[in-house]
Structure formats: structure tokens, C-alpha cells
């Protein structure tokens, strides 16, 4: 018979299990650093998405105004650009949204995330509205006014000159030349 060497398994398993039971400080710091880097990349993008969405809605409103003006001039008949702000908290929200989508024309702007204000004159106080209509005439003029778009922390004013029908936009924080605006209205 050949003698065999018997090893004590308990000492081997104890070393392995003690090492596998926790993480080193270096491993914890690396994971924490990765989480912080990931968070730093995601959070700014969330606010950028909100800004981008608001800017897209305002650009769409401006495009609808320009479209209505062009069609009025080319076809020689008045055109209406309609802006509708739906209240998502109202009881008839879904029904009203379906109704508006069914009868929508290219010069309609509908939103459930932006509130609207209107003032016909720069010296006038803006008033909240559920819908606004701007009429463009074949000669290029319009009913004019200043449409205000608000969403959370964002604001934009879209000005429509009543004599020329020209459209200009000013976002919150932008400096506006008051003399030029007074001359336009």
C-alpha cells in the first residue's frame, strides 16, 4: 500500500470563502465612480430633452404661422392659424383630443403640455387662453398679436406683425429691442 497525503480541506475553504465574502475598498470606489459618471451623463440630458421638446413645439407653431401666411398670399383668400392648448387634467381631455385630431387641418397647432397667452398689444397684459386664432390676409397683413408659450421653466413669445404678417420669436432670457417692437405694432 502506498501512503497518501491527506490535506486539510477546511483551511483551503476558509481562505476562499473569507476572500469571496466582501469587496475591497478599491472595488467599491471604482463602482461608486462609475455610478457618478453615469449619473452625470444622464441628468443633463433629461433637462436638454425638455428644452428640446419645448423648442420643437415653438418652432412648429412658427412654421404653422408662416404656412398660413404663405397660403393666404398665394391663394388670395384669408387663412386662419389656430392654436389650441388642452388641459390634460380636464375630465373631457381624451374626447376633446380625439375630436380635434379628427378635424385637424395643416394650420392647427395642438398641445397638452404648453399653456398659451395672448396679447394684441405690447402694452397689454397677457391673458391665458385655451385657443387663439391668427388670421392672415391676402395682402400679407394679419390680425397680429403676441402669442406666449409657457411650459414649466420655459417661455417664448411669438410676435406677429399686423401690417406685414412677419413673425419673430423671443425665448426667455433673450434681450428684446423694445423700440423695434413698438415700431412693429
Amino acid at each position: 500500500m502506498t501512503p497518501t497525503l491527506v490535506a486539510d480541506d477546511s483551511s483551503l475553504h476558509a481562505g476562499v470563502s473569507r476572500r469571496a465574502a466582501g469587496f475591497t475598498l478599491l472595488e467599491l470606489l471604482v463602482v461608486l465612480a462609475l455610478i457618478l459618471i453615469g449619473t452625470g451623463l444622464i441628468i443633463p440630458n433629461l433637462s436638454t430633452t425638455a428644452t428640446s421638446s419645448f423648442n420643437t413645439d415653438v418652432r412648429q407653431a412658427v412654421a404653422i404661422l408662416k404656412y398660413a401666411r404663405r397660403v393666404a398670399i398665394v391663394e388670395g383668400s384669408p387663412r386662419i392659424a389656430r392654436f389650441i392648448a388642452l388641459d390634460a387634467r380636464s375630465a373631457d381631455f381624451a374626447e376633446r383630443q380625439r375630436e380635434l385630431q379628427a378635424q385637424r387641418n395643416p394650420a392647427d397647432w395642438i398641445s397638452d403640455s404648453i399653456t398659451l397667452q395672448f396679447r394684441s398689444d405690447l402694452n397689454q397684459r397677457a391673458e391665458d387662453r385655451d385657443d387663439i386664432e391668427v388670421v392672415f390676409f391676402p395682402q400679407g397683413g394679419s390680425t397680429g398679436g403676441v402669442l406666449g408659450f409657457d411650459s414649466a421653466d420655459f417661455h417664448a413669445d411669438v410676435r406677429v406683425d399686423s401690417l406685414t404678417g412677419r413673425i419673430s420669436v423671443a425665448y426667455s432670457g433673450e434681450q428684446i429691442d423694445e423700440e423695434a417692437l413698438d415700431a412693429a405694432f
Side-chain angles (χ1 to χ4, degrees), residues 176-184:
I176 297 168
D177 184 1
E178 293 296 329
E179 289 177 12
L181 290 175
D182 287 337

Side-chain angles (χ1 to χ4, degrees), residues 67-142:
Y67 170 80
R69 180 175 184 257
R70 247 188 325 269
V71 170
I73 292 169
V74 169
E75 291 183 357
S77 62
R79 285 291 177 213
I80 297 172
R82 199 168 68 152
F83 299 86
I84 301 166
L86 296 174
D87 184 2
R89 297 168 292 170
S90 69
D92 65 339
F93 169 73
E95 180 183 329
R96 183 152 157 76
Q97 188 177 35
R98 277 192 302 276
E99 175 187 314
L100 288 168
Q101 292 296 339
Q103 56 181 288
R104 187 175 189 163
N105 70 40
D108 285 352
W109 179 91
I110 302 169
S111 176
D112 60 358
S113 62
I114 293 179
T115 58
L116 295 173
Q117 293 91 35
F118 181 78
R119 55 189 167 148
S120 57
D121 178 290
L122 285 175
N123 299 322
Q124 191 180 43
R125 186 172 162 257
E127 61 181 59
D128 290 342
R129 295 261 187 102
D130 291 336
D131 59 47
I132 299 170
E133 290 185 351
V134 178
V135 181
F136 288 92
F137 304 108
Q139 299 82 9
S142 72

Side-chain angles (χ1 to χ4, degrees), residues 161-179:
D161 188 320
S162 58
L163 296 176
T164 65
R166 294 209 172 141
I167 298 143
S168 61
V169 181
Y171 291 91
S172 57
E174 291 183 344
Q175 293 297 328
I176 297 168
D177 184 1
E178 293 296 329
E179 289 177 12

